Amino acid sequence: MSEMKANRIVSWLEERVDLGAAKHLIQEKVVPVHHHTIWYYFGGMTLFLFATQVVTGIMLTLYYRPGAEEAYESVQFIMTEVQFGWLIRSIHSWSANLMVGTMMIHLFSVYLTQAYRKPRELTWITGMALFGVVLTFGFSGYLLPWNVLSLFATKVGTNVAGQVPLVGHALVRFLRGGEDVTGATLSRFYGLHIAILPAVTTLILGFHLFMVQQQGMSSPPDVEKAAAKHPMKTMPFFPNFLLRDLFGWFAAVGVLAALAAIYPWELGKKADPFAPAPAGIRPEWYFMYMFQTLKYIPAKVGPIDGEVLGVLAFGVGGLFLLLVPFLDKKSARGEASPLFRWIGVGIIVYMVVFTALGYLAPGGK
Amino acid sequence: MGVVEERVDAGRRLINMFLGTSLGAMVISIFYPVVKYLIPPKLAEPTTFNVTLPWKVGEVKANSGRIFRFGSRPGLLVKTPGGELRAFSAICTHLDCTVQYREDKQEIYCACHNGKYDLAGKNVSGPPPRPLEPLEVKLRGDQIVVMKG
Amino acid sequence: MKIALRVAVFGIVVGAAGMCHAPSAWAVNACIDCHKNLKEENLRLPAVKINDDYHVVRGLKCQDCHGGDPEAADKKEKSHSKDKGFRGKPKRLDIPAFCGRCHSDPSYMRKFNPSIRTDQVKEYYTSGHGKRLREGDQKVAVCISCHDVHAIRAIKDQAAWTYPVKVAETCGHCHADPKYMKERKIPTDQLKKYKVSYHYEVLTKKGDLSAPTCNSCHGNHGATPPGVDSVENVCSHCHAATAELFDKSAHKEAFSDLGQPACVTCHGNHDVMKPTDDLLAGGKGTPCETCHEEGSAELKKAVEVRALIGGLSRGIEEADAILTRAEEAGMEVGLPKFELIEAKDNLIKARAESHTLKAKKIKVLTDPGVVIAQKTVKKGHQLMAELQFRRKGLAASLLVIGAVLVGLFLKIREVDRRGRS
């Protein structure tokens, strides 16, 4: 019965819209099945968590008030007076962290399976751009509750931007909307967080997803080579892979609900720009490895400032990752590239170790 | 249709029904908090930035002062003998006691350790090390509105 | 031409004036140059210490106090010449006059600090120390005993012997030394007692420099213990409100008739502690039983007062406890915490009001406080209930999600199977 109804709707639409791409997706798109298939879910999971952010974020804008005088009180209002406000706000904060986590897994699984190789270089580049956008989302959103920790985390973070040679100072003024972190910074970050970044994300993400649909899923080089001898095992995207995607997404909803109810996100104390920094300020975990690295670089390395050197090093590292499809010639030829894989493992180990050090090292403020 | 296929069909229908029902329940359990969230709460807005005092301008006598709630702190509204309305944080800058207005002395006084402030909030006698934090007073018709200075 | 001439003369005069200046500090100072090389410690030390002296900062030098000729290097007779006004080391009995030569001269002191007091020496001779010095007792404090000598620091200098935090130790240098004070008839346990007091804690640990130390109650230059009738006057200088309330009570007249000091009788003097509510009960171990018989009507009143204040205090404790529990469980408690402040204010006022011994007046304060505390406890319970509601809601939604996941799992299995066949 429902099938007949569905068919009638489809034919009505087909008389008006070209449903070719959608039909292809549903009827023909396949996903390779091999021992690395599990990593395929992380892109979609990141997308789902992003959708959660958009929905909860829009809901928060109904009650949040930007501005140094009202921001903190409005978040307090959401947490205490608005019905289920605590749920929406805690989900928003937790989902942000989970999203950065799944995004990193997505990034590194794509890297280690060399999915960036030809013809998917543009997908990789837009993906790296999205990585930067998401971190900026996190950094700008963190300031919005205007509490003590977020004020100082923003001060420290924007200070680091000041270490970029030549343009550092101008960059800091541009980010902060002035010399210091004030209500002007809050306004700026708010516009960035709810308007500019979402617009940018729509464009880049749209292109990223379009490319993925166009080119289909990439398989690791060894799987591709084996496929030359006997055909690769696949599963249809619809409904098999999608159902599995949904399974993961709904499990994530459960995790978010549990986190929101059992570990609600803290409100903290209202920011006071005149008070000294409290002990123990540190950035969110996804910036921790950079923060900790900067702590270990000596104040001066030869004639260069230690922090400048650190910032430049991160810049070079980011640039390496961005350009890896063009640097890894072997993978462009469809061959396995152990050298680049080991570099990737090294980067992961570095990030994990330094994040851990950030929390465990003594004298770590 | 064979018996096996019928069984398979029945099994399919059961799974579909189960999945459909639980999905429906899940959708409701998501929509319920969302809808409740959208309905404005009883207290329409956070009363911290802008506080409208419960007394009209005319009700406040010259040379008098009263305590009001300002967000999470007590505030002091003073009408000077000359008739000017002023407001300060009522937290004494010495050891955080709540100050009061003294009509007989026309000063702001902290009973804890005999601290005294003048009508501009400046600390003039006793242990308080700093003046009282001033707040802004605005009039909306005959209503008194106090804001952060 | 005339104008140019005038300008030139003016310029020359200004230039000359600019070039004339007092010889730089120790450019030629025989005092220091000679004394710092002497073998005797008591003659060498002043030349070393003097660099820390506040008088030097203000431009004064050895000769300004001791007279003599600072430019007569290597000639003791010349530098120590009486013709040059050499005064040498003053005798102990003469020290107040020695310092007072400048410090009691308003026209001289005005050059350095127009608002500084110039009556210290006069005040000193009204003090216990000054009176005895006049009678020839040299074993008392003189200026240099408290202000040091040759390294006299301004009071605002944290290293000064007279910096508020250090005053007690300075007085205690003599007054806490039983051997030194052997002939005197006064106790030497004041410093020890003061160090356990709440005033000392506030001064040293909390850094509140307005907290009282020795000179706050005894005076500094005119140091004398306050007499019995003036003790209340001393405490009421800061604790004015409490003193006013005490004056309304029956104790004021009673204490004065008995010759008992107010305040100190119940609170102690040097070892004054933060009073506890138990002090109100009039039970065993309290100062009340000194005068009042067990079971008397007055003590019954005390029990009533204690009950009122204790009730409010307990109510606030209960409210605080439940709010802390809610906060630790993740709930937002900022607003109820604020509302409790009014109850806490009332408790402070009620405790002060207890000095009037009038239960009715105290009740006026404790009753609304109790109401607020009870409201806050209720709010705390509401928050805990909300927490339970959230947990139950979570459990229910997890069940639903669990069901969906099971359904999906079965569907996936079915769809896979269909695909294979």
Side-chain angles (χ1 to χ4, degrees):
Chain A
M1 266 303 194
S2 52
E3 257 188 79
M4 268 169 48
K5 268 214 191 107
N7 281 335
R8 286 235 299 271
I9 298 178
V10 169
S11 16
W12 184 91
L13 281 173
E14 272 188 314
E15 285 169 18
R16 294 153 177 80
V17 186
D18 181 3
L19 293 177
K23 275 189 143 171
H24 175 90
L25 180 78
I26 294 182
Q27 288 160 0
E28 284 160 44
K29 177 169 163 120
V30 292
V31 175
V33 173
H34 48 77
H35 47 281
H36 285 301
T37 300
I38 188 155
W39 304 112
Y40 290 151
Y41 296 108
F42 283 92
M45 180 65 88
T46 311
L47 179 65
F48 173 73
L49 291 173
F50 181 69
T52 317
Q53 289 305 85
V54 172
V55 170
T56 53
I58 289 175
M59 292 175 76
L60 287 172
T61 63
L62 293 179
Y63 293 105
Y64 174 77
R65 296 188 183 189
E69 269 73 43
E70 300 193 279
Y72 177 85
E73 283 81 3
S74 67
V75 177
Q76 187 180 50
F77 183 71
I78 290 171
M79 295 291 279
T80 55
E81 300 286 336
V82 178
Q83 295 184 78
F84 291 104
W86 58 274
L87 183 68
I88 305 296
R89 192 246 168 165
S90 279
I91 288 184
H92 194 78
S93 304
W94 273 115
S95 181
N97 280 271
L98 288 183
M99 181 183 167
V100 174
T102 57
M103 187 174 62
M104 287 190 172
I105 297 175
H106 178 55
L107 190 162
F108 282 109
S109 61
V110 164
Y111 179 96
L112 291 175
T113 53
Q114 294 169 235
Y116 51 73
R117 65 190 188 278
K118 174 173 169 184
R120 294 180 172 79
E121 301 95 325
L122 288 175
T123 321
W124 172 260
I125 304 243
T126 50
M128 286 300 293
L130 284 171
F131 183 66
V133 167
V134 168
L135 289 183
T136 315
F137 258 120
F139 187 67
S140 56
Y142 198 59
L143 181 65
L144 300 184
W146 199 248
N147 59 30
V148 172
L149 284 179
S150 60
L151 180 75
F152 284 101
T154 309
K155 268 199 192 176
V156 171
T158 46
N159 257 331
V160 172
Q163 302 301 324
V164 173
L166 296 175
V167 296
H169 183 79
L171 190 60
V172 171
R173 284 201 79 227
F174 175 71
L175 286 173
R176 289 181 177 176
E179 292 296 330
D180 272 309
V181 175
T182 60
T185 320
L186 185 60
S187 298
R188 199 160 270 242
F189 276 23
Y190 185 63
L192 188 67
H193 193 82
I194 72 162
I196 301 175
L197 290 177
V200 167
T201 310
T202 310
L203 291 172
I204 304 180
L205 183 62
F207 185 69
H208 189 83
L209 291 174
F210 172 72
M211 293 297 286
V212 170
Q213 294 315 310
Q214 273 255 306
Q215 296 173 327
M217 308 305 280
S218 146
S219 304
D222 54 337
V223 170
E224 260 189 359
K225 281 232 172 84
K229 291 189 207 115
H230 24 252
M232 196 156 36
K233 233 172 104 181
T234 64
M235 76 162 102
F237 175 75
F238 186 89
N240 305 54
F241 188 81
L242 183 62
L243 283 173
R244 287 168 167 82
D245 247 347
L246 285 174
F247 188 91
W249 296 355
F250 292 155
V253 171
V255 168
L256 283 173
L259 287 171
I262 302 178
Y263 299 109
W265 203 264
E266 212 195 29
L267 183 58
K269 285 211 181 80
K270 183 169 178 172
D272 178 1
F274 298 110
I281 37 156
R282 50 184 186 205
E284 279 296 89
W285 63 272
Y286 42 88
F287 289 124
M288 184 62 88
Y289 66 96
M290 289 193 270
F291 185 66
Q292 195 65 14
T293 310
L294 286 176
K295 275 194 176 169
Y296 289 146
I297 302 179
K300 267 216 173 300
V301 178
I304 315 173
D305 253 336
E307 269 199 35
V308 175
L309 197 65
V311 169
L312 284 180
F314 292 135
V316 166
L319 201 61
F320 166 78
L321 277 178
L322 182 70
L323 298 176
V324 80
F326 309 103
L327 298 170
D328 186 358
K329 305 282 191 222
K330 269 188 135 180
S331 73
R333 291 196 294 269
E335 290 164 29
S337 180
L339 169 67
F340 278 84
R341 278 223 287 272
W342 279 113
I343 294 178
V345 171
I347 295 178
I348 297 174
V349 168
Y350 156 70
M351 286 170 73
V352 169
V353 168
F354 274 74
T355 308
L357 281 174
Y359 288 97
L360 303 170
K365 267 207 228 149
Chain B
M1 257 199 243
V3 174
V4 175
E5 285 158 331
E6 262 183 42
R7 269 232 215 101
V8 166
D9 253 351
R12 253 182 80 182
R13 273 202 296 274
L14 189 62
I15 291 176
N16 285 356
M17 238 177 35
F18 180 68
L19 186 57
T21 324
S22 52
L23 260 176
M26 190 172 130
V27 165
I28 293 175
S29 70
I30 290 179
F31 263 87
Y32 176 71
V34 169
V35 170
K36 286 227 109 178
Y37 178 91
L38 295 173
I39 299 172
K42 256 181 269 156
L43 185 67
E45 42 177 1
T47 55
T48 47
F49 175 46
N50 245 313
V51 175
T52 308
L53 300 188
W55 316 291
K56 293 213 178 49
V57 189
E59 281 172 27
V60 183
K61 283 194 296 218
N63 190 24
S64 77
R66 29 187 116 183
I67 297 285
F68 59 93
R69 177 163 140 213
F70 188 70
S72 49
R73 312 168 294 148
L76 177 71
L77 177 75
V78 170
K79 197 174 208 174
T80 66
E84 196 190 322
L85 271 177
R86 293 191 190 147
F88 307 94
S89 161
I91 302 177
C92 183
T93 55
H94 177 224
L95 291 178
D96 295 343
C97 291
T98 309
V99 302
Q100 57 195 239
Y101 183 76
R102 283 236 280 229
E103 289 116 33
D104 49 341
K105 303 269 172 61
Q106 289 182 8
E107 68 187 10
I108 299 171
Y109 176 67
C110 181
C112 283
H113 299 101
N114 209 18
K116 299 195 178 118
Y117 303 84
D118 65 13
L119 294 184
K122 177 118 189 357
N123 49 319
V124 291
S125 166
R130 291 182 307 278
L132 289 173
E133 190 196 327
L135 301 171
E136 231 185 276
V137 180
K138 289 225 162 83
L139 291 176
R140 205 197 287 144
D142 60 353
Q143 283 185 315
I144 310 172
V145 179
V146 178
M147 300 189 263
K148 205 116 198 281
Chain C
M1 264 312 273
K2 261 201 190 150
I3 301 171
L5 192 61
R6 282 189 196 165
V7 169
V9 169
F10 182 72
I12 291 171
V13 169
V14 169
M19 282 193 279
C20 299
H21 53 77
S24 71
W26 306 115
V28 180
N29 194 300
C31 319
I32 302 291
D33 291 339
C34 175
H35 273 263
K36 71 174 185 229
N37 293 318
L38 294 176
K39 270 187 248 125
E40 297 93 326
E41 267 305 286
N42 65 319
L43 295 174
R44 188 186 70 89
L45 220 44
V48 172
K49 283 171 84 176
I50 198 71
N51 287 310
D52 286 334
D53 196 295
Y54 189 64
H55 294 104
V56 163
V57 170
R58 301 306 247 134
L60 296 166
K61 287 167 234 42
C62 313
Q63 64 273 20
D64 292 302
C65 294
H66 293 286
D69 186 350
E71 283 168 32
D74 295 333
K75 290 217 174 82
K76 184 171 171 184
E77 314 85 54
K78 269 197 120 186
S79 53
H80 282 218
S81 129
K82 284 253 159 43
D83 297 330
K84 291 285 183 178
F86 184 70
R87 287 176 220 109
K89 177 178 169 173
K91 293 210 219 17
R92 196 175 179 87
L93 292 170
D94 295 330
I95 288 178
F98 190 85
C99 302
R101 192 169 63 89
C102 297
H103 278 277
S104 300
D105 181 353
S107 3
Y108 183 73
M109 292 308 291
R110 195 182 303 132
K111 285 195 276 181
F112 298 94
N113 182 351
S115 55
I116 198 174
R117 286 174 65 166
T118 48
D119 59 350
Q120 295 95 333
V121 175
K122 194 158 157 225
E123 242 196 315
Y124 173 74
Y125 282 119
T126 69
S127 72
H129 299 135
K131 285 197 194 136
R132 284 175 180 77
L133 188 77
R134 253 213 187 109
E135 289 160 12
D137 183 349
Q138 298 209 40
K139 234 180 142 187
V140 291
V142 290
C143 314
I144 62 172
S145 318
C146 301
H147 289 286
D148 200 359
V149 59
H150 298 126
I152 303 174
R153 295 175 191 269
I155 322 172
K156 55 185 188 253
D157 185 335
Q158 286 196 16
W161 291 6
T162 48
Y163 187 67
V165 176
K166 305 186 86 187
V167 164
E169 291 288 350
T170 303
C171 304
H173 192 70
C174 298
H175 281 274
D177 184 349
K179 273 200 231 115
Y180 192 80
M181 302 294 288
K182 219 175 14 181
E183 303 96 35
R184 316 282 180 193
K185 295 192 199 76
I186 51 179
T188 50
D189 60 350
Q190 300 95 331
L191 179 62
K192 190 153 154 240
K193 277 187 168 175
Y194 176 66
K195 280 189 163 167
V196 302
S197 74
Y198 187 62
H199 287 149
Y200 181 72
E201 191 185 317
V202 172
L203 178 67
T204 52
K205 294 217 188 73
K206 299 207 180 142
D208 182 0
L209 295 181
S210 68
T213 180
C214 312
N215 63 310
S216 318
C217 300
H218 295 290
N220 32 25
H221 302 110
T224 315
V228 167
D229 53 329
S230 61
V231 163
E232 192 196 336
N233 292 335
V234 167
C235 307
S236 68
H237 190 68
C238 295
H239 296 278
T242 319
E244 243 174 86
L245 292 167
F246 174 81
D247 286 347
K248 294 198 194 128
S249 75
H251 276 160
K252 171 138 173 104
E253 221 184 294
F255 275 31
S256 144
D257 284 346
L258 288 169
Q260 283 278 60
C263 317
V264 169
T265 308
C266 299
H267 291 288
N269 44 11
H270 300 114
D271 53 351
V272 58
M273 306 289 253
K274 219 169 176 207
T276 62
D277 288 337
D278 286 325
L279 199 59
L280 295 165
K284 278 215 156 60
T286 65
C288 315
E289 56 180 19
T290 322
C291 301
H292 296 283
E293 264 181 46
E294 218 182 305
S296 60
E298 291 89 359
L299 283 191
K300 286 215 182 81
K301 256 209 223 161
V303 171
E304 203 192 325
V305 167
R306 170 84 178 88
L308 283 173
I309 291 186
L312 177 55
S313 168
R314 265 194 313 274
I316 292 175
E317 260 175 41
E318 203 191 326
D320 263 336
I322 198 170
L323 285 186
T324 309
R325 259 179 66 208
E327 190 174 37
E328 282 169 1
M331 307 298 285
E332 283 303 323
V333 295
L335 294 169
K337 249 193 186 162
F338 167 74
E339 274 154 13
L340 194 60
I341 292 177
E342 199 187 326
K344 291 182 176 168
D345 267 352
N346 274 28
L347 182 60
I348 294 176
K349 288 201 195 117
R351 284 175 171 152
E353 194 75 25
S354 65
H355 289 91
T356 60
L357 308 170
K358 296 195 165 82
K360 276 207 203 91
K361 289 235 166 117
I362 295 168
K363 203 158 191 293
V364 163
L365 291 163
T366 54
D367 277 350
V370 167
V371 168
I372 292 170
Q374 282 172 342
K375 260 206 220 142
T376 310
V377 169
K378 216 165 138 219
K379 278 243 174 81
H381 283 306
Q382 275 175 357
L383 287 170
M384 295 309 286
E386 166 75 16
L387 187 73
Q388 289 311 310
F389 166 75
R390 289 188 194 179
R391 298 243 166 109
K392 289 206 193 91
L394 173 69
S397 59
L398 285 181
L399 272 172
V400 171
I401 291 177
V404 171
L405 293 179
V406 166
L408 276 175
F409 175 73
L410 293 172
K411 188 78 185 161
I412 289 171
R413 220 171 43 159
E414 178 224 308
V415 151
D416 280 351
R417 219 179 286 145
R418 248 196 307 152
R420 273 196 293 267
S421 58

